Amino acid sequence: MSLTAVETLNREFLEIRCRILDLAAMLDRLERSDDTVADDPRLKRIHEAIDLLTKSASRNSSSDRAEQVQLTFSRPYDSAWLQNLKVRPR
């Protein structure tokens, strides 16, 4: 039996809040550092993922957020990945 949206929010609210606060604290630490990572592609992907979450939340239509975020951090599929990454088959 699946939970209602209210039951799910009641159960998950504090965990979601905690994770958002953790993320905010991590981004604050990056900004307060002596050097900068503004041009780092990893930070760009983090911001893309956050944007994706906020845009999909405002549309209230996407239930595949986890997949979309995962794809933000993934390489496109390359059928020749074994050769390109020099992986030896077992």
Side-chain angles (χ1 to χ4, degrees):
M1 181 170 150
S2 62
L3 299 175
T4 66
V6 171
E7 291 169 332
T8 302
L9 184 59
N10 285 341
R11 186 182 73 184
E12 303 291 339
F13 178 76
L14 291 176
E15 182 68 24
I16 293 168
R17 176 182 171 270
C18 178
R19 290 180 186 211
I20 292 171
L21 287 169
D22 281 346
L23 177 59
M26 290 178 225
L27 292 172
D28 285 349
R29 285 192 293 274
L30 281 172
E31 288 181 11
R32 285 194 301 261
S33 298
D34 293 336
D35 57 348
T36 182
V37 291
D39 295 330
D40 191 304
R42 296 171 296 176
L43 186 59
K44 181 180 179 238
R45 302 238 181 190
I46 290 169
H47 286 287
E48 286 174 11
I50 293 169
D51 287 344
L52 190 152
L53 292 174
T54 58
K55 287 176 187 171
S56 65
S58 64
R59 285 192 309 251
N60 198 23
S61 64
S62 180
S63 62
D64 60 349
R65 289 181 191 94
E67 178 183 1
Q68 293 173 3
V69 169
Q70 178 63 45
L71 289 172
T72 301
F73 293 104
S74 299
R75 294 179 181 198
Y77 180 73
D78 178 5
S79 60
W81 68 272
L82 283 171
Q83 296 80 20
N84 293 338
L85 297 176
K86 297 179 176 61
V87 175
R88 292 187 216 168
R90 294 184 191 187

